[in-house]
Amino acid sequence: MPTQTLLVALTTFFATIGPLDLALVFLALTRDSTPVERRRFALRGVLIGGTILLFFAIFGEAVLRLFGITLPALRTAGGILLLLISIDMVFARHSGGTSTTTEEDVEARTRHDISVFPLATPLIAGPGAISAIILLITSAEGDYLKDAMVILALLLILAMTYLALRLAIPIQRLLGVTGLQVVSRIIGVLLTALAIQFIFDGVRSSGLVPGLQ
């Protein structure tokens, strides 16, 4: 169902891009920037990150064929990656799947323009989001309506991300760290179930286990 595809994609992208968490990181990285610079960083970061994700949405399958990666393998590997990300979300931990590493944080603080690194990548178009977009598009199996729902979900989350970056200070005041972690944990639980389903689908379609076809 297209509606189900849209809801799954929205949940997945909300978890792997994390607009609310990203707003706090953005606030920390731009504490010495002017409002005009923050606006420019936010717009450029979302546009560049979105372009990277759209590239993988269009050419992801071609990349898989180039490296000889099968769809069952992608579903299983992507499910495992999303599962690891969801576990980090539930336990309020940070990892390189959806955020920057400690070394990347140090480098980012010395940059005047953060719109490309670390904002566009790896914060917006990170390993989790890239895996998710390829996984969701290939799972549509050529259904153009489902593909459109996935792209629509991506664009909606990117728009939400831009708004979150622009409203980073009010969001921090409204929700605080505890409020953001509660939202993150709820989405993490939903993503855990989706990740397990991706793994099940990958194993079943691989033919490795007789009787699961």
Side-chain angles (χ1 to χ4, degrees), residues 8-185:
V8 169
L10 282 171
T11 303
T12 305
F13 290 135
F14 187 89
T16 53
I17 296 176
L20 298 181
D21 291 333
L22 193 53
L24 293 187
V25 176
F26 180 75
L27 194 60
L29 293 174
T30 59
R31 60 182 179 274
D32 296 326
S33 303
T34 66
V36 174
E37 288 176 328
R38 286 198 187 99
R39 190 183 315 121
R40 186 175 72 250
F41 295 160
L43 182 60
R44 286 191 63 202
V46 170
L47 288 177
I48 295 171
T51 300
I52 294 172
L53 293 174
L54 287 173
F55 171 85
F56 281 100
I58 297 170
F59 299 106
E61 282 195 77
V63 172
L64 294 179
R65 288 195 297 270
L66 178 64
F67 289 99
I69 301 172
T70 64
L71 292 184
L74 175 70
R75 288 182 181 132
T76 305
I80 292 172
L81 178 58
L82 292 178
L83 179 61
L84 293 174
I85 291 172
S86 67
I87 291 172
D88 283 339
M89 293 177 69
V90 170
F91 290 99
R93 298 188 306 227
H94 295 284
S95 66
T98 58
S99 60
T100 54
T101 62
T102 303
E103 293 80 6
E104 289 170 335
D105 282 339
V106 172
E107 182 178 349
R109 290 192 182 97
T110 64
R111 286 174 174 262
H112 179 65
D113 187 345
I114 63 160
S115 55
V116 178
F117 173 85
L119 186 55
T121 183
L123 289 175
I124 295 176
I130 291 173
S131 299
I133 188 70
I134 298 176
L135 189 59
L136 290 168
I137 289 292
T138 53
S139 296
E141 298 179 337
D143 187 322
Y144 293 117
L145 183 55
K146 289 183 178 180
D147 287 344
M149 292 298 101
V150 173
I151 298 300
L152 175 60
L154 175 64
L155 294 178
L156 289 174
I157 294 300
L158 288 174
M160 183 186 299
T161 300
Y162 176 71
L163 288 176
L165 297 181
R166 296 285 289 113
L167 300 173
I169 295 176
I171 287 174
Q172 183 188 39
R173 290 173 179 167
L174 177 65
L175 296 178
V177 175
T178 302
L180 289 173
Q181 287 183 350
V182 169
V183 174
S184 180
R185 285 187 171 104

